[in-house]
Amino acid sequence: MAPPKESSTTIIHEQPASGAWVAAPYPVVVADGSGTVVEVNAAAAFLMDGVVPGAGMTDVAPSWLAEAHADAVVGGAVPRSPGEAGVLPSVRGHIGDHSFEAHPSWGRDGQVVWWLVDDTDQRLAEAALSTERERATFLAEASNVLMASLNTERCMLATARLAARYLADAAVVVAPASGRTMPVAHAVAGQDATRALVADDPSLVPGLSEALQGFPPVPSRWIDPVTLPGWMLPEGFTGPIGSVAVTPLPGHGVPAGALILLRSNGRAEFSESEELFARQFAARAGAALSAARLYAEQSDITRTLMRDLLPPDLHRVNGVEFAGGYQPAGAREPVGGDFYDVHPGGTESEPSLVVLGDVCGKGLDAAVLTGKIRNTVQALTPMADDHQKMLRLLNGALLNSHHTRFATLVLASVLRTESQVRLRLTSAGHPAPLVVRNDGRVEEAATHGTLVGALPHVEARSVEVHLQPGETCLLYTDGVTEARGGPLGNELFGEERLARALSGCAGLPGAAVVERIQMLASQWLRDGRHDDMALVAITAPRTTHLSAVNGHTRGRYTA
């Protein structure tokens, strides 16, 4: 007779006292209601020493099988007639190193026939599958946690916390040395991770120097926990260390650090499978740490470059008020093609140079050329009052560059003479500056010229303008006048609207003029797209003189 199928409950008809099962490859044991072995087949006798007819189940059978037999004969429903079905539950237990599932069925005169099925391989496969599922779930969770932040410190702490929670009792993440110290993150399972700087030789820990250089890990059995330095033991870790595993954290081209796993004494040592899984986790953690470190390095580089590309903050220079405003085309691109600079004169008797320009295009490519123009103009400041020569030299520098973009510029040499401010203005393909007088009149400076960086020769006409105290000259880029918005969303802000707005700013300080124009342009745009917008206001300050001889009373304004 074939053995019953595996299930939690076996339903089978009454069996004869002996029969085909005697030669079955499965171990079979028959015991009566008193717990005495009645019959066994050869497979059962080979499996369990002492299981012979006449022996007691409690003496020769595994305890789990003997207890199951006692429960069956006491609580089981003994069939009263041949053919009547009996219902008995199957049980599971170990015999030696093997796992068995025992399927009972009723025999003659209340005897119970136990079929023993070796399910060791099945149980191992199920356990391995369950372990792999848990590991896959953990790796997915770890990837989400590690990739959620591009901050190096938070990534180190998350790595240590995850490793302590799932892989060991405690974990230590060691980053490559920065100078004479190593950034380290500690974590104990169930506790918050902490970060520290350690000044120690990594070679004191077996395998740590190699892991920090990206070499394969040494087996954990080669590491003696007694030799570990004190800094490796996390605060809150109780008990001596029983086993240690060190694995590298591989990064993008260069090692991202090392992961050290610690287990308390009394727990099983790290198995080969666990060490392999730790390396799989370390690969994800290393990639996240490397990405965070690369992002931090690129952010530092970007901040350094942006510092020179962004327009400067303007203030009063040599008795003249300067104010500037810049609004890039997109929030994600803090720099673009519009720029301005103020280069102060060496003394109050030397003119200051104001440069405002617009490079063709926008974004990073335009910002790179912007930086080159600004650096070139800065080098030409000794000839600040000779605009024609400056433009020729700048034009030649741009034509010899690999860039194919051109630019428009307006130059202003600014010099205060007593209460007035003298301006020499030169436009090279740029909108002419506007001057707002104290009575609200707005005048356009009669300067014009050709683009810079487009033709072999550049031509420009310079004009001289004088500002009385309180009057302002506004330099602007076409991003202001070409801003599209209004009621229908497609109307240009335009030069006339700019002139009317500027007329309403008569007598205001330069900073207020810039802020007013920026506010009106933004309201006109609403949420619409626009080009870069840059403004520079040059204002002749109102002068004061003291009305008292001793100089301590309040002065009054004069115009």
PDB file of all heavy atoms in Angstrom, residues 50-71:
ATOM      1  N   GLY A  50      16.226  -0.488  18.761  1.00  0.00           N
ATOM      2  CA  GLY A  50      15.402  -0.962  19.872  1.00  0.00           C
ATOM      3  C   GLY A  50      13.934  -1.014  19.573  1.00  0.00           C
ATOM      4  O   GLY A  50      13.145  -1.479  20.419  1.00  0.00           O
ATOM      5  N   VAL A  51      13.480  -0.545  18.418  1.00  0.00           N
ATOM      6  CA  VAL A  51      12.060  -0.606  18.065  1.00  0.00           C
ATOM      7  C   VAL A  51      11.782  -2.011  17.517  1.00  0.00           C
ATOM      8  O   VAL A  51      12.016  -2.309  16.337  1.00  0.00           O
ATOM      9  CB  VAL A  51      11.689   0.474  17.036  1.00  0.00           C
ATOM     10  CG1 VAL A  51      10.209   0.361  16.669  1.00  0.00           C
ATOM     11  CG2 VAL A  51      11.973   1.849  17.612  1.00  0.00           C
ATOM     12  N   VAL A  52      11.338  -2.852  18.403  1.00  0.00           N
ATOM     13  CA  VAL A  52      11.040  -4.257  18.044  1.00  0.00           C
ATOM     14  C   VAL A  52       9.697  -4.604  18.643  1.00  0.00           C
ATOM     15  O   VAL A  52       9.237  -3.957  19.606  1.00  0.00           O
ATOM     16  CB  VAL A  52      12.136  -5.201  18.579  1.00  0.00           C
ATOM     17  CG1 VAL A  52      13.469  -4.948  17.894  1.00  0.00           C
ATOM     18  CG2 VAL A  52      12.279  -5.083  20.088  1.00  0.00           C
ATOM     19  N   PRO A  53       9.021  -5.583  18.090  1.00  0.00           N
ATOM     20  CA  PRO A  53       7.738  -6.003  18.659  1.00  0.00           C
ATOM     21  C   PRO A  53       7.885  -6.342  20.145  1.00  0.00           C
ATOM     22  O   PRO A  53       8.857  -6.984  20.556  1.00  0.00           O
ATOM     23  CB  PRO A  53       7.364  -7.222  17.826  1.00  0.00           C
ATOM     24  CG  PRO A  53       8.027  -6.976  16.507  1.00  0.00           C
ATOM     25  CD  PRO A  53       9.310  -6.322  16.837  1.00  0.00           C
ATOM     26  N   GLY A  54       6.970  -5.841  20.945  1.00  0.00           N
ATOM     27  CA  GLY A  54       6.982  -6.083  22.378  1.00  0.00           C
ATOM     28  C   GLY A  54       7.573  -4.935  23.182  1.00  0.00           C
ATOM     29  O   GLY A  54       7.390  -4.873  24.402  1.00  0.00           O
ATOM     30  N   ALA A  55       8.305  -4.050  22.547  1.00  0.00           N
ATOM     31  CA  ALA A  55       8.889  -2.909  23.255  1.00  0.00           C
ATOM     32  C   ALA A  55       7.844  -1.820  23.434  1.00  0.00           C
ATOM     33  O   ALA A  55       6.884  -1.702  22.660  1.00  0.00           O
ATOM     34  CB  ALA A  55      10.087  -2.364  22.489  1.00  0.00           C
ATOM     35  N   GLY A  56       8.032  -1.016  24.472  1.00  0.00           N
ATOM     36  CA  GLY A  56       7.110   0.084  24.719  1.00  0.00           C
ATOM     37  C   GLY A  56       7.491   1.320  23.892  1.00  0.00           C
ATOM     38  O   GLY A  56       8.678   1.632  23.729  1.00  0.00           O
ATOM     39  N   MET A  57       6.474   1.988  23.403  1.00  0.00           N
ATOM     40  CA  MET A  57       6.731   3.188  22.584  1.00  0.00           C
ATOM     41  C   MET A  57       7.492   4.251  23.386  1.00  0.00           C
ATOM     42  O   MET A  57       8.376   4.925  22.863  1.00  0.00           O
ATOM     43  CB  MET A  57       5.412   3.777  22.077  1.00  0.00           C
ATOM     44  CG  MET A  57       4.743   2.957  20.991  1.00  0.00           C
ATOM     45  SD  MET A  57       5.557   3.118  19.379  1.00  0.00           S
ATOM     46  CE  MET A  57       5.029   4.742  18.894  1.00  0.00           C
ATOM     47  N   THR A  58       7.170   4.383  24.670  1.00  0.00           N
ATOM     48  CA  THR A  58       7.832   5.403  25.465  1.00  0.00           C
ATOM     49  C   THR A  58       9.305   5.079  25.708  1.00  0.00           C
ATOM     50  O   THR A  58      10.086   5.974  26.043  1.00  0.00           O
ATOM     51  CB  THR A  58       7.126   5.561  26.816  1.00  0.00           C
ATOM     52  OG1 THR A  58       7.085   4.275  27.472  1.00  0.00           O
ATOM     53  CG2 THR A  58       5.712   6.082  26.629  1.00  0.00           C
ATOM     54  N   ASP A  59       9.700   3.809  25.542  1.00  0.00           N
ATOM     55  CA  ASP A  59      11.079   3.395  25.789  1.00  0.00           C
ATOM     56  C   ASP A  59      11.953   3.484  24.545  1.00  0.00           C
ATOM     57  O   ASP A  59      13.149   3.796  24.647  1.00  0.00           O
ATOM     58  CB  ASP A  59      11.112   1.962  26.337  1.00  0.00           C
ATOM     59  CG  ASP A  59      10.393   1.821  27.666  1.00  0.00           C
ATOM     60  OD1 ASP A  59      10.426   2.812  28.438  1.00  0.00           O
ATOM     61  OD2 ASP A  59       9.792   0.766  27.914  1.00  0.00           O
ATOM     62  N   VAL A  60      11.363   3.217  23.380  1.00  0.00           N
ATOM     63  CA  VAL A  60      12.192   3.089  22.181  1.00  0.00           C
ATOM     64  C   VAL A  60      11.894   4.152  21.123  1.00  0.00           C
ATOM     65  O   VAL A  60      12.747   4.436  20.267  1.00  0.00           O
ATOM     66  CB  VAL A  60      12.033   1.675  21.572  1.00  0.00           C
ATOM     67  CG1 VAL A  60      12.545   0.618  22.531  1.00  0.00           C
ATOM     68  CG2 VAL A  60      10.562   1.408  21.206  1.00  0.00           C
ATOM     69  N   ALA A  61      10.734   4.725  21.120  1.00  0.00           N
ATOM     70  CA  ALA A  61      10.367   5.721  20.096  1.00  0.00           C
ATOM     71  C   ALA A  61      10.735   7.126  20.577  1.00  0.00           C
ATOM     72  O   ALA A  61      10.847   7.370  21.787  1.00  0.00           O
ATOM     73  CB  ALA A  61       8.873   5.646  19.794  1.00  0.00           C
ATOM     74  N   PRO A  62      10.924   8.063  19.660  1.00  0.00           N
ATOM     75  CA  PRO A  62      11.147   9.458  20.061  1.00  0.00           C
ATOM     76  C   PRO A  62       9.980   9.960  20.902  1.00  0.00           C
ATOM     77  O   PRO A  62       8.834   9.508  20.726  1.00  0.00           O
ATOM     78  CB  PRO A  62      11.248  10.213  18.739  1.00  0.00           C
ATOM     79  CG  PRO A  62      11.508   9.182  17.708  1.00  0.00           C
ATOM     80  CD  PRO A  62      10.928   7.903  18.190  1.00  0.00           C
ATOM     81  N   SER A  63      10.263  10.842  21.824  1.00  0.00           N
ATOM     82  CA  SER A  63       9.223  11.303  22.751  1.00  0.00           C
ATOM     83  C   SER A  63       8.038  11.900  22.015  1.00  0.00           C
ATOM     84  O   SER A  63       6.884  11.691  22.411  1.00  0.00           O
ATOM     85  CB  SER A  63       9.819  12.336  23.717  1.00  0.00           C
ATOM     86  OG  SER A  63      10.363  13.431  22.996  1.00  0.00           O
ATOM     87  N   TRP A  64       8.311  12.673  20.935  1.00  0.00           N
ATOM     88  CA  TRP A  64       7.201  13.302  20.233  1.00  0.00           C
ATOM     89  C   TRP A  64       6.277  12.286  19.586  1.00  0.00           C
ATOM     90  O   TRP A  64       5.063  12.474  19.534  1.00  0.00           O
ATOM     91  CB  TRP A  64       7.715  14.285  19.170  1.00  0.00           C
ATOM     92  CG  TRP A  64       8.603  13.660  18.121  1.00  0.00           C
ATOM     93  CD1 TRP A  64       9.943  13.510  18.176  1.00  0.00           C
ATOM     94  CD2 TRP A  64       8.186  13.082  16.876  1.00  0.00           C
ATOM     95  NE1 TRP A  64      10.426  12.892  17.046  1.00  0.00           N
ATOM     96  CE2 TRP A  64       9.365  12.628  16.214  1.00  0.00           C
ATOM     97  CE3 TRP A  64       6.962  12.920  16.241  1.00  0.00           C
ATOM     98  CZ2 TRP A  64       9.339  12.000  14.969  1.00  0.00           C
ATOM     99  CZ3 TRP A  64       6.927  12.309  14.989  1.00  0.00           C
ATOM    100  CH2 TRP A  64       8.111  11.853  14.360  1.00  0.00           C
ATOM    101  N   LEU A  65       6.866  11.107  19.138  1.00  0.00           N
ATOM    102  CA  LEU A  65       6.052  10.064  18.513  1.00  0.00           C
ATOM    103  C   LEU A  65       5.293   9.278  19.576  1.00  0.00           C
ATOM    104  O   LEU A  65       4.111   8.937  19.382  1.00  0.00           O
ATOM    105  CB  LEU A  65       6.948   9.146  17.688  1.00  0.00           C
ATOM    106  CG  LEU A  65       6.235   8.022  16.922  1.00  0.00           C
ATOM    107  CD1 LEU A  65       5.191   8.605  15.963  1.00  0.00           C
ATOM    108  CD2 LEU A  65       7.244   7.170  16.160  1.00  0.00           C
ATOM    109  N   ALA A  66       5.960   9.004  20.717  1.00  0.00           N
ATOM    110  CA  ALA A  66       5.296   8.276  21.794  1.00  0.00           C
ATOM    111  C   ALA A  66       4.130   9.082  22.346  1.00  0.00           C
ATOM    112  O   ALA A  66       3.053   8.532  22.628  1.00  0.00           O
ATOM    113  CB  ALA A  66       6.304   7.962  22.891  1.00  0.00           C
ATOM    114  N   GLU A  67       4.336  10.410  22.523  1.00  0.00           N
ATOM    115  CA  GLU A  67       3.246  11.252  23.021  1.00  0.00           C
ATOM    116  C   GLU A  67       2.098  11.324  22.026  1.00  0.00           C
ATOM    117  O   GLU A  67       0.919  11.312  22.416  1.00  0.00           O
ATOM    118  CB  GLU A  67       3.775  12.642  23.317  1.00  0.00           C
ATOM    119  CG  GLU A  67       4.752  12.687  24.480  1.00  0.00           C
ATOM    120  CD  GLU A  67       5.405  14.065  24.637  1.00  0.00           C
ATOM    121  OE1 GLU A  67       5.065  14.952  23.812  1.00  0.00           O
ATOM    122  OE2 GLU A  67       6.230  14.245  25.540  1.00  0.00           O
ATOM    123  N   ALA A  68       2.411  11.377  20.747  1.00  0.00           N
ATOM    124  CA  ALA A  68       1.357  11.423  19.726  1.00  0.00           C
ATOM    125  C   ALA A  68       0.558  10.126  19.726  1.00  0.00           C
ATOM    126  O   ALA A  68      -0.668  10.134  19.550  1.00  0.00           O
ATOM    127  CB  ALA A  68       1.976  11.674  18.353  1.00  0.00           C
ATOM    128  N   HIS A  69       1.237   8.989  19.942  1.00  0.00           N
ATOM    129  CA  HIS A  69       0.532   7.703  19.983  1.00  0.00           C
ATOM    130  C   HIS A  69      -0.394   7.650  21.187  1.00  0.00           C
ATOM    131  O   HIS A  69      -1.551   7.194  21.081  1.00  0.00           O
ATOM    132  CB  HIS A  69       1.542   6.554  20.034  1.00  0.00           C
ATOM    133  CG  HIS A  69       0.880   5.207  20.065  1.00  0.00           C
ATOM    134  ND1 HIS A  69       0.341   4.594  18.955  1.00  0.00           N
ATOM    135  CD2 HIS A  69       0.628   4.357  21.122  1.00  0.00           C
ATOM    136  CE1 HIS A  69      -0.184   3.433  19.289  1.00  0.00           C
ATOM    137  NE2 HIS A  69      -0.023   3.259  20.612  1.00  0.00           N
ATOM    138  N   ALA A  70       0.089   8.127  22.361  1.00  0.00           N
ATOM    139  CA  ALA A  70      -0.757   8.121  23.556  1.00  0.00           C
ATOM    140  C   ALA A  70      -1.982   8.996  23.344  1.00  0.00           C
ATOM    141  O   ALA A  70      -3.100   8.629  23.731  1.00  0.00           O
ATOM    142  CB  ALA A  70       0.058   8.605  24.753  1.00  0.00           C
ATOM    143  N   ASP A  71      -1.796  10.164  22.730  1.00  0.00           N
ATOM    144  CA  ASP A  71      -2.937  11.038  22.458  1.00  0.00           C
ATOM    145  C   ASP A  71      -3.914  10.388  21.499  1.00  0.00           C
ATOM    146  O   ASP A  71      -5.138  10.552  21.625  1.00  0.00           O
ATOM    147  CB  ASP A  71      -2.454  12.365  21.884  1.00  0.00           C
ATOM    148  CG  ASP A  71      -1.661  13.172  22.897  1.00  0.00           C
ATOM    149  OD1 ASP A  71      -1.797  12.916  24.105  1.00  0.00           O
ATOM    150  OD2 ASP A  71      -0.900  14.076  22.465  1.00  0.00           O
TER     151      ASP A  71
END
